[in-house]
Amino acid sequence: MGLRKAEKGQEAMKKKESAYDPFHGEIEGDVEQGYFKNALSGFVFESASGAAIRHLADLGYTVKQIMEKLTYPAPYEKIQEIVWKHLADTGVLLLKEPGTELPKSNVTYVKEYGKYGRVSLRQVTRPYHDGELPEWKKYQFQKSDKRDFPSLFIKMCMENEEETSYISCDFGLLLKKEPEKFARVLQGLDNRQKDYIIGLPWEERIVYHRLNQRMRDIVLRMCENSWKCGDCYFGRGDKGHTHQL
């Protein structure tokens, strides 16, 4: 009996040694289990909250509001990540200058009901302009235009389609390099507008935001509060031209 126990003990030790990674000092089995747990956690989160977060973002909810609305607990940073990626995937945010790549497809979510009344959201993608690049005009507003800026800006937005109207945003750079100035710029916004801007994880570079109604209102208020309006891009007219207003 004692010999058998000793043999079993040696076999167990050999199994443990064979699973040990001499270069990283970790047990391979534990690492694989960690990967599995992370993958499972991501799958569960996506199943429980991913589609709901994207749907609420489409409805105009801020990251803060989405966090309060979800029934399944979700970290604030995770919601930020999903909302940012969704806005980029749907073309609300562009990480490259408008006109330098094909526009994103238009993505919407359709609510469907299962056999037992369970609600799910199905993604529907529609190609944009048959893959053709629109021709863009770039506008730069000067400081001397401060009094005329609101009327000029609104006029340009009204004359162009929302889907091909963008403004360059330096919020990530401001937040990193001039946080006090960034705080002053936000003072003119109402709480929901401020939550929208603060809730997005702006990258430390120029990012381009579609000039939807929300962003138009934000731009007008921020420009009243010492923010230098970014370059505006409208997908009409002579390609590649820059105009100073």
Side-chain angles (χ1 to χ4, degrees):
M1 285 292 286
L3 182 59
R4 287 183 180 178
K5 285 184 179 181
E7 288 174 349
K8 287 182 179 180
Q10 289 176 353
E11 288 176 3
M13 285 296 292
K14 286 180 181 179
K15 287 181 180 180
K16 188 173 182 179
E17 288 172 0
S18 64
Y20 183 79
D21 182 350
F23 297 102
H24 299 92
E26 296 176 342
I27 303 301
E28 292 177 358
D30 291 344
V31 174
E32 290 178 1
Q33 189 175 18
Y35 288 148
F36 175 76
K37 285 182 177 179
N38 289 336
L40 181 60
S41 175
F43 174 77
V44 171
F45 181 84
E46 174 63 27
S47 300
S49 302
I53 290 172
R54 290 187 287 271
H55 179 62
L56 291 172
D58 286 338
L59 294 177
Y61 283 72
T62 66
V63 170
K64 180 180 177 182
Q65 290 173 319
I66 292 173
M67 188 171 186
E68 294 169 350
K69 192 80 173 174
L70 291 177
T71 54
Y72 186 89
Y76 185 81
E77 293 77 12
K78 186 65 177 177
I79 299 174
Q80 281 185 305
E81 178 187 326
I82 291 177
V83 171
W84 180 268
K85 184 178 185 304
H86 179 63
L87 294 181
D89 287 344
T90 54
V92 176
L93 290 174
L94 298 182
L95 304 182
K96 294 183 179 180
E97 187 177 35
T100 58
E101 63 181 1
L102 284 171
K104 298 287 186 180
S105 300
N106 294 317
V107 178
T108 57
Y109 290 87
V110 179
K111 185 182 288 188
E112 295 182 338
Y113 295 89
K115 184 177 179 181
Y116 300 102
R118 183 178 179 181
V119 180
S120 62
L121 297 172
R122 179 169 60 87
Q123 180 175 302
V124 178
T125 303
R126 178 169 61 87
Y128 189 93
H129 290 319
D130 299 322
E132 295 181 1
L133 281 171
E135 295 182 340
W136 294 86
K137 276 187 177 180
K138 177 180 176 181
Y139 292 86
Q140 296 174 331
F141 292 92
Q142 306 302 302
K143 288 184 178 180
S144 58
D145 301 323
K146 190 170 182 179
R147 284 189 299 178
D148 297 329
F149 169 73
S151 58
L152 286 171
F153 178 73
I154 293 170
K155 179 176 181 291
M156 294 305 301
C157 289
M158 295 296 291
E159 290 177 353
N160 293 273
E161 295 180 10
E162 181 180 296
E163 290 181 351
T164 52
S165 300
Y166 287 86
I167 188 167
S168 63
C169 301
D170 60 353
F171 304 145
L173 294 169
L174 270 180
L175 185 59
K176 178 69 175 180
K177 298 179 179 180
E178 301 179 82
E180 292 181 0
K181 182 178 179 180
F182 183 61
R184 287 197 304 272
V185 167
L186 295 179
Q187 286 176 0
L189 305 181
D190 62 35
N191 289 336
R192 188 171 182 184
Q193 291 171 333
K194 193 180 297 183
D195 286 343
Y196 178 72
I197 296 297
I198 294 175
L200 295 178
W202 298 96
E203 299 179 3
E204 290 181 42
R205 58 170 167 163
I206 299 295
V207 177
Y208 306 86
H209 195 295
R210 180 176 289 161
L211 281 168
N212 49 28
Q213 188 61 56
R214 163 184 265 167
M215 200 59 189
R216 293 177 193 179
D217 294 340
I218 288 175
V219 168
L220 288 171
R221 288 202 176 196
M222 291 181 77
C223 287
E224 290 176 0
N225 226 36
S226 74
W227 181 61
K228 182 184 180 301
C229 177
D231 297 334
C232 293
Y233 298 78
F234 299 102
R236 294 291 179 270
D238 301 325
K239 187 174 182 180
H241 286 201
T242 299
H243 302 259
Q244 293 186 345
L245 298 178

